[in-house]
Amino acid sequence: MFDRYATEYDAALSRGLSLSGEDKSFFARRRVEWLRDCLRASFALPRQVMDFGCGTGSNAPWLLSLLSAQRVVGVDDSPKMLEIARQTQASEHAEFFPIDACPARGQFDLVFCNGVFHHISPSQRARAIDYIFHSLHVGGLFAFWENSPWNPGTRFVMSRIPFDRDAILLSPPEARGLLCAGGFEILRTDFLFIFPRILSWLRPVEPYCARFPFGAQYQVLCRKPSP
């Protein structure tokens, strides 16, 4: 599906997000900052990170710099998106592969995933979770970010983005149920991105509202438990 949008992906996303007054990089950086702060509370920062559904690879610089990761491996099923990722983001610390070229061998400390599962057919989501589960070592963490169907602004923005119009959103309870069924232990659920740029002076209160379902996106942080 995403091969046909690869060259226009960032531009189309930017047009949709422009309603918030922010660009793609604002949201990408803030997601990883939030995850970093969650990890600092209870866990060591990860060294080996997978970006599941990496697209054009734009998360890699933030995962490397903000999490101090030693290696980021992006996986995706779109050859054209991976080609762009390799051209723009590849380095000695960041590599990009088709999913079937990166077998799940319990090698990662963290899997990061943003806005991917609403593009996966509901019948195939359990398979994707299983792949992620087996890509993590015991105790490894999965940061599952999704767009909130409970936020009207989210739905409106998605309606303006060609590749998001037919997406099937997951509610937070649906996401947690999917993750639990896949063997994960849920650690926390947080909601982020409440205020657009015009109300940015209110953003300092967002961390205090993160447990309430107001934000445009949510993160379910979960762990692969011991057998």
Side-chain angles (χ1 to χ4, degrees):
M1 167 185 166
F2 276 91
D3 274 357
R4 59 181 169 145
Y5 293 116
T7 57
E8 299 295 327
Y9 177 84
D10 286 341
L13 189 59
S14 294
R15 284 194 295 271
L17 293 175
S18 65
L19 291 173
S20 70
E22 303 290 358
D23 61 13
K24 175 184 173 182
S25 64
F26 167 81
F27 295 98
R29 180 185 180 103
R30 188 70 188 105
R31 279 187 291 266
V32 181
E33 285 177 339
W34 185 265
L35 172 60
R36 176 200 61 195
D37 294 344
C38 292
L39 297 181
R40 281 179 173 172
S42 306
F43 305 98
L45 292 177
R47 301 173 71 181
Q48 303 288 326
V49 178
M50 172 190 282
D51 184 5
F52 180 82
C54 65
T56 58
S58 57
N59 290 318
W62 304 121
L63 294 169
L64 289 167
S65 63
L66 295 175
L67 298 186
S68 300
Q70 292 184 353
R71 179 174 180 246
V72 171
V73 174
V75 298
D76 204 284
D77 62 4
S78 168
K80 290 187 178 179
M81 298 284 266
L82 287 170
E83 182 181 347
I84 293 171
R86 292 184 186 116
Q87 291 172 352
T88 60
Q89 304 295 348
S91 70
E92 62 179 314
H93 300 291
E95 301 173 276
F96 302 93
F97 300 101
I99 292 174
D100 58 9
C102 188
R105 295 174 177 161
Q107 65 269 50
F108 291 100
D109 305 311
L110 170 75
V111 175
F112 178 89
C113 174
N114 171 57
V116 174
F117 274 75
H118 62 248
H119 293 298
I120 299 176
S121 167
S123 65
Q124 296 298 313
R125 287 172 179 169
R127 182 180 178 186
I129 292 292
D130 186 68
Y131 171 79
I132 291 167
F133 185 86
H134 287 97
S135 295
L136 289 163
H137 62 65
V138 172
L141 300 170
F142 181 22
F144 177 101
W145 283 91
E146 258 300 340
N147 299 351
S148 175
W150 296 341
N151 185 294
T154 296
R155 289 188 173 275
F156 183 61
V157 167
M158 292 180 71
S159 73
R160 290 167 47 92
I161 301 173
F163 48 79
D164 275 342
R165 287 172 186 154
D166 297 325
I168 302 174
L169 290 170
L170 298 81
S171 69
E174 288 174 318
R176 287 191 292 262
L178 180 68
L179 292 162
C180 286
F184 282 102
E185 172 191 3
I186 305 299
L187 301 177
R188 59 189 290 170
T189 303
D190 299 300
F191 295 83
L192 207 61
F193 307 123
I194 299 172
F195 302 109
R197 188 172 187 176
I198 195 171
L199 296 175
S200 60
W201 56 278
L202 290 171
R203 287 177 181 167
V205 309
E206 282 196 353
Y208 304 100
C209 304
R211 296 305 173 94
F212 301 100
F214 303 140
Q217 283 199 303
Y218 63 92
Q219 175 194 249
V220 181
L221 184 63
C222 52
R223 174 170 52 196
K224 179 177 178 176
S226 301

